[in-house]
Coordinates of all heavy atoms in Angstrom, one line a residue:
A203 N -83.8 -59.9 108.4 CA -82.8 -60.4 107.6 C -82.3 -59.2 106.7 O -81.1 -59.0 106.4 CB -83.2 -61.6 106.7
R204 N -83.3 -58.5 106.2 CA -83.0 -57.3 105.3 C -82.3 -56.2 106.1 O -81.4 -55.5 105.6 CB -84.3 -56.8 104.7 CG -84.9 -57.7 103.6 CD -86.1 -57.1 103.0 NE -86.7 -58.0 102.1 CZ -86.4 -58.2 100.8 NH1 -85.4 -57.4 100.3 NH2 -87.0 -59.0 100.0
Q205 N -82.7 -56.0 107.3 CA -82.0 -55.0 108.2 C -80.6 -55.4 108.4 O -79.7 -54.6 108.4 CB -82.8 -54.9 109.5 CG -84.1 -54.3 109.4 CD -84.9 -54.4 110.7 OE1 -84.4 -55.0 111.7 NE2 -86.1 -54.0 110.7
V206 N -80.3 -56.7 108.6 CA -78.9 -57.2 108.9 C -78.1 -56.9 107.7 O -76.9 -56.4 107.8 CB -78.9 -58.7 109.2 CG1 -77.5 -59.2 109.2 CG2 -79.6 -58.9 110.5
E207 N -78.6 -57.1 106.5 CA -77.9 -56.8 105.2 C -77.7 -55.3 105.0 O -76.5 -54.9 104.7 CB -78.6 -57.4 104.0 CG -78.1 -57.0 102.7 CD -76.8 -57.6 102.2 OE1 -76.3 -58.5 103.0 OE2 -76.3 -57.2 101.2
A208 N -78.7 -54.6 105.3 CA -78.6 -53.1 105.1 C -77.6 -52.5 106.1 O -76.8 -51.6 105.7 CB -80.0 -52.5 105.3
R209 N -77.6 -53.0 107.3 CA -76.7 -52.4 108.3 C -75.2 -52.8 107.9 O -74.3 -51.9 108.0 CB -77.0 -53.0 109.7 CG -76.1 -52.5 110.8 CD -76.5 -53.0 112.1 NE -76.4 -54.5 112.2 CZ -75.2 -55.1 112.6 NH1 -74.1 -54.4 112.8 NH2 -75.2 -56.4 112.7
A210 N -75.0 -54.0 107.4 CA -73.6 -54.4 107.0 C -73.2 -53.5 105.8 O -72.0 -53.2 105.7 CB -73.6 -55.8 106.7
R211 N -74.1 -53.2 104.9 CA -73.7 -52.5 103.7 C -73.2 -51.1 104.0 O -72.5 -50.4 103.2 CB -74.8 -52.4 102.7 CG -75.1 -53.7 102.0 CD -75.9 -53.5 100.8 NE -76.4 -54.8 100.2 CZ -77.1 -54.8 99.0 NH1 -77.4 -53.7 98.4 NH2 -77.4 -56.0 98.5
R212 N -73.6 -50.5 105.2 CA -73.2 -49.2 105.5 C -71.7 -49.1 105.7 O -71.1 -48.0 105.6 CB -73.9 -48.7 106.8 CG -75.4 -48.6 106.7 CD -76.0 -47.7 107.7 NE -75.5 -47.9 109.0 CZ -76.1 -48.6 110.0 NH1 -77.2 -49.3 109.7 NH2 -75.5 -48.8 111.2
Y213 N -71.1 -50.2 106.1 CA -69.7 -50.2 106.5 C -68.8 -50.2 105.2 O -69.0 -51.1 104.4 CB -69.3 -51.3 107.4 CG -69.9 -51.2 108.8 CD1 -71.1 -52.0 109.1 CD2 -69.4 -50.3 109.7 CE1 -71.7 -51.8 110.4 CE2 -70.0 -50.2 110.9 CZ -71.1 -50.9 111.3 OH -71.7 -50.8 112.5
T214 N -67.9 -49.3 105.2 CA -67.0 -49.2 104.0 C -65.6 -49.8 104.3 O -64.9 -50.2 103.4 CB -66.8 -47.8 103.5 OG1 -66.3 -47.0 104.6 CG2 -68.2 -47.2 103.1
K215 N -65.2 -49.8 105.6 CA -63.9 -50.3 106.0 C -63.9 -50.7 107.4 O -64.7 -50.2 108.2 CB -62.8 -49.3 105.7 CG -62.8 -48.0 106.5 CD -61.7 -47.1 106.1 CE -61.8 -45.7 106.9 NZ -60.7 -44.8 106.5
T216 N -62.9 -51.5 107.8 CA -62.7 -51.9 109.2 C -61.2 -51.7 109.6 O -60.4 -52.2 108.8 CB -63.1 -53.4 109.5 OG1 -64.5 -53.5 109.2 CG2 -62.8 -53.8 110.9
A217 N -61.0 -51.0 110.7 CA -59.6 -50.8 111.1 C -59.4 -51.6 112.3 O -60.2 -51.7 113.3 CB -59.4 -49.3 111.4
V218 N -58.2 -52.3 112.3 CA -57.8 -53.1 113.5 C -56.6 -52.4 114.2 O -55.6 -52.1 113.5 CB -57.3 -54.5 113.0 CG1 -57.0 -55.4 114.2 CG2 -58.3 -55.2 112.1
V219 N -56.8 -52.0 115.4 CA -55.8 -51.2 116.1 C -55.3 -52.0 117.4 O -56.1 -52.4 118.2 CB -56.4 -49.8 116.5 CG1 -55.4 -49.1 117.4 CG2 -56.7 -49.0 115.3
W220 N -54.0 -52.1 117.5 CA -53.3 -52.6 118.7 C -52.4 -51.6 119.2 O -51.6 -51.0 118.4 CB -52.6 -53.9 118.3 CG -51.9 -54.5 119.6 CD1 -50.8 -54.1 120.2 CD2 -52.4 -55.6 120.3 NE1 -50.6 -54.9 121.3 CE2 -51.5 -55.9 121.4 CE3 -53.5 -56.5 120.1 CZ2 -51.7 -56.9 122.3 CZ3 -53.6 -57.6 121.0 CH2 -52.8 -57.7 122.1
R221 N -52.5 -51.3 120.5 CA -51.5 -50.4 121.1 C -50.9 -51.0 122.4 O -51.7 -51.6 123.2 CB -52.2 -49.0 121.4 CG -52.6 -48.2 120.2 CD -53.1 -46.9 120.6 NE -54.4 -46.9 121.3 CZ -55.6 -46.5 120.7 NH1 -55.6 -46.0 119.5 NH2 -56.7 -46.6 121.4
S222 N -49.6 -50.9 122.5 CA -48.9 -51.3 123.7 C -48.3 -50.1 124.4 O -47.6 -49.3 123.8 CB -47.8 -52.3 123.4 OG -48.3 -53.4 122.7
F223 N -48.7 -49.9 125.7 CA -48.3 -48.6 126.3 C -47.9 -48.9 127.8 O -48.3 -49.9 128.4 CB -49.5 -47.6 126.3 CG -50.7 -48.1 127.0 CD1 -51.0 -47.6 128.3 CD2 -51.6 -48.9 126.3 CE1 -52.2 -48.0 128.9 CE2 -52.8 -49.3 127.0 CZ -53.0 -48.9 128.3
I224 N -47.2 -47.9 128.4 CA -46.8 -48.0 129.8 C -47.8 -47.1 130.6 O -47.8 -45.9 130.4 CB -45.4 -47.5 130.0 CG1 -44.4 -48.5 129.3 CG2 -45.0 -47.4 131.5 CD1 -43.0 -48.1 129.3
R225 N -48.6 -47.7 131.4 CA -49.6 -47.0 132.1 C -49.0 -46.0 133.1 O -49.6 -44.9 133.3 CB -50.4 -48.0 132.9 CG -51.5 -47.5 133.8 CD -52.2 -48.6 134.5 NE -52.9 -49.4 133.5 CZ -54.2 -49.2 133.1 NH1 -54.9 -48.2 133.7 NH2 -54.7 -50.0 132.2
Q226 N -47.8 -46.3 133.7 CA -47.2 -45.4 134.7 C -46.6 -44.2 134.0 O -46.3 -44.2 132.9 CB -46.2 -46.2 135.5 CG -46.7 -47.3 136.3 CD -47.0 -48.6 135.5 OE1 -46.7 -48.7 134.3 NE2 -47.5 -49.6 136.1
K227 N -46.4 -43.2 134.9 CA -45.8 -41.9 134.4 C -44.3 -42.2 134.1 O -43.7 -41.6 133.2 CB -46.0 -40.8 135.4 CG -45.4 -39.5 134.8 CD -45.8 -38.3 135.8 CE -45.3 -37.0 135.3 NZ -45.7 -35.9 136.2
W228 N -43.7 -43.1 135.0 CA -42.2 -43.4 134.9 C -42.0 -44.9 135.0 O -42.8 -45.6 135.6 CB -41.4 -42.7 136.0 CG -41.6 -41.2 136.0 CD1 -42.4 -40.4 136.8 CD2 -40.9 -40.3 135.1 NE1 -42.2 -39.1 136.5 CE2 -41.3 -39.0 135.5 CE3 -40.0 -40.4 134.1 CZ2 -40.9 -37.8 134.8 CZ3 -39.5 -39.3 133.4 CH2 -40.0 -38.0 133.8
A229 N -41.0 -45.4 134.3 CA -40.6 -46.8 134.4 C -39.1 -46.9 134.4 O -38.4 -46.1 133.9 CB -41.2 -47.5 133.2
T230 N -38.6 -47.9 135.1 CA -37.2 -48.2 135.2 C -36.9 -49.6 134.8 O -37.8 -50.5 134.8 CB -36.6 -48.0 136.6 OG1 -37.3 -48.8 137.5 CG2 -36.9 -46.5 137.1
I231 N -35.6 -49.9 134.4 CA -35.2 -51.2 134.1 C -35.2 -52.0 135.4 O -34.6 -51.6 136.4 CB -33.8 -51.3 133.5 CG1 -33.7 -50.5 132.2 CG2 -33.3 -52.7 133.2 CD1 -34.5 -51.1 131.0
P232 N -35.9 -53.2 135.4 CA -35.9 -54.0 136.7 C -34.5 -54.3 137.1 O -33.6 -54.6 136.3 CB -36.7 -55.2 136.3 CG -37.6 -54.8 135.1 CD -36.8 -53.8 134.4
S233 N -34.3 -54.3 138.4 CA -33.0 -54.5 139.0 C -32.4 -55.9 138.6 O -31.2 -56.0 138.4 CB -33.0 -54.4 140.5 OG -34.0 -55.3 141.1
E234 N -33.3 -56.9 138.4 CA -32.9 -58.2 138.1 C -32.2 -58.2 136.7 O -31.5 -59.1 136.3 CB -34.1 -59.2 138.1 CG -34.7 -59.3 139.4 CD -35.9 -58.4 139.6 OE1 -35.8 -57.3 139.1 OE2 -36.8 -58.8 140.3
L235 N -32.6 -57.2 135.8 CA -32.1 -57.2 134.5 C -31.0 -56.2 134.2 O -30.4 -56.2 133.1 CB -33.2 -56.9 133.5 CG -34.4 -57.9 133.5 CD1 -35.5 -57.4 132.5 CD2 -33.9 -59.3 133.1
R236 N -30.7 -55.4 135.2 CA -29.7 -54.3 134.9 C -28.4 -54.7 134.5 O -27.8 -54.2 133.6 CB -29.6 -53.4 136.2 CG -30.8 -52.5 136.4 CD -30.8 -51.8 137.8 NE -32.0 -51.0 138.0 CZ -32.3 -50.5 139.2 NH1 -31.4 -50.6 140.2 NH2 -33.4 -49.9 139.4
G237 N -27.9 -55.8 135.2 CA -26.5 -56.2 134.8 C -26.4 -57.1 133.6 O -25.3 -57.2 133.1
I238 N -27.5 -57.6 133.2 CA -27.5 -58.5 132.0 C -28.3 -58.0 130.8 O -28.2 -58.7 129.8 CB -28.0 -59.9 132.4 CG1 -29.5 -59.8 132.9 CG2 -27.2 -60.5 133.5 CD1 -30.2 -61.1 133.2
S239 N -28.9 -56.9 130.9 CA -29.8 -56.5 129.9 C -29.1 -56.0 128.6 O -29.5 -56.1 127.5 CB -30.7 -55.3 130.3 OG -30.0 -54.2 130.6
G240 N -27.9 -55.4 128.8 CA -27.2 -54.8 127.7 C -27.7 -53.5 127.3 O -27.2 -52.9 126.3
C241 N -28.6 -52.9 128.1 CA -29.2 -51.6 127.7 C -28.3 -50.5 128.1 O -27.5 -50.6 129.0 CB -30.6 -51.4 128.5 SG -31.8 -52.7 128.0
K242 N -28.4 -49.4 127.4 CA -27.4 -48.3 127.6 C -27.7 -47.6 128.9 O -26.8 -47.1 129.6 CB -27.6 -47.3 126.4 CG -26.6 -46.1 126.5 CD -26.8 -45.2 125.3 CE -25.8 -44.1 125.3 NZ -25.9 -43.2 124.1
Y243 N -29.0 -47.4 129.3 CA -29.4 -46.7 130.5 C -30.1 -47.6 131.5 O -31.2 -48.1 131.2 CB -30.3 -45.5 130.1 CG -29.7 -44.5 129.2 CD1 -30.0 -44.5 127.8 CD2 -28.8 -43.6 129.6 CE1 -29.5 -43.6 127.0 CE2 -28.2 -42.6 128.8 CZ -28.5 -42.6 127.4 OH -28.0 -41.7 126.6
T244 N -29.5 -47.9 132.6 CA -30.1 -48.8 133.6 C -30.1 -48.1 134.9 O -31.0 -47.3 135.2 CB -29.3 -50.1 133.6 OG1 -27.9 -49.8 133.9 CG2 -29.4 -50.9 132.3
R245 N -29.1 -48.4 135.8 CA -29.1 -47.8 137.1 C -29.0 -46.3 137.1 O -28.2 -45.7 136.4 CB -27.9 -48.4 137.9 CG -27.9 -48.0 139.4 CD -26.7 -48.5 140.1 NE -26.7 -50.0 140.1 CZ -27.3 -50.8 140.9 NH1 -28.0 -50.2 141.9 NH2 -27.2 -52.1 140.8
G246 N -29.9 -45.6 137.9 CA -29.9 -44.2 138.0 C -30.6 -43.5 136.9 O -30.7 -42.2 136.8
Y247 N -31.3 -44.2 136.0 CA -32.1 -43.6 134.9 C -33.5 -44.1 135.0 O -33.8 -45.2 135.5 CB -31.5 -44.0 133.6 CG -30.1 -43.4 133.4 CD1 -29.0 -44.2 133.7 CD2 -29.9 -42.1 132.9 CE1 -27.7 -43.6 133.5 CE2 -28.6 -41.6 132.7 CZ -27.5 -42.3 133.0 OH -26.3 -41.8 132.9
K248 N -34.4 -43.3 134.4 CA -35.8 -43.7 134.3 C -36.4 -43.3 132.9 O -35.8 -42.4 132.3 CB -36.7 -43.1 135.4 CG -36.6 -41.5 135.5 CD -37.4 -41.0 136.6 CE -37.4 -39.5 136.7 NZ -38.1 -39.0 137.9
Y249 N -37.4 -44.0 132.5 CA -38.0 -43.8 131.2 C -39.4 -43.2 131.4 O -40.1 -43.5 132.3 CB -38.1 -45.1 130.5 CG -36.8 -45.8 130.1 CD1 -36.0 -46.4 131.0 CD2 -36.4 -45.7 128.8 CE1 -34.8 -47.0 130.7 CE2 -35.2 -46.3 128.4 CZ -34.4 -47.0 129.4 OH -33.2 -47.6 129.0
R250 N -39.7 -42.3 130.4 CA -41.0 -41.7 130.5 C -42.1 -42.6 130.0 O -41.9 -43.3 129.0 CB -41.0 -40.4 129.6 CG -42.3 -39.6 129.6 CD -42.3 -38.7 130.8 NE -43.6 -38.0 130.9 CZ -43.8 -37.0 131.7 NH1 -42.9 -36.6 132.6 NH2 -44.9 -36.3 131.7

Side-chain angles (χ1 to χ4, degrees):
R204 292 181 181 275
Q205 290 169 3
V206 171
E207 169 74 7
R209 182 175 64 86
R211 286 195 189 185
R212 297 203 314 264
Y213 292 103
T214 59
K215 63 182 180 180
T216 297
V218 187
V219 173
W220 182 285
R221 291 187 289 249
S222 299
F223 62 98
I224 295 176
R225 176 179 298 268
Q226 295 80 5
K227 186 175 182 179
W228 302 101
T230 59
I231 300 292
S233 58
E234 299 92 327
L235 298 179
R236 287 174 185 167
I238 60 175
S239 67
C241 298
K242 182 176 180 180
Y243 299 103
T244 56
R245 186 183 300 275
Y247 295 95
K248 57 184 179 180
Y249 293 76
R250 183 80 180 188

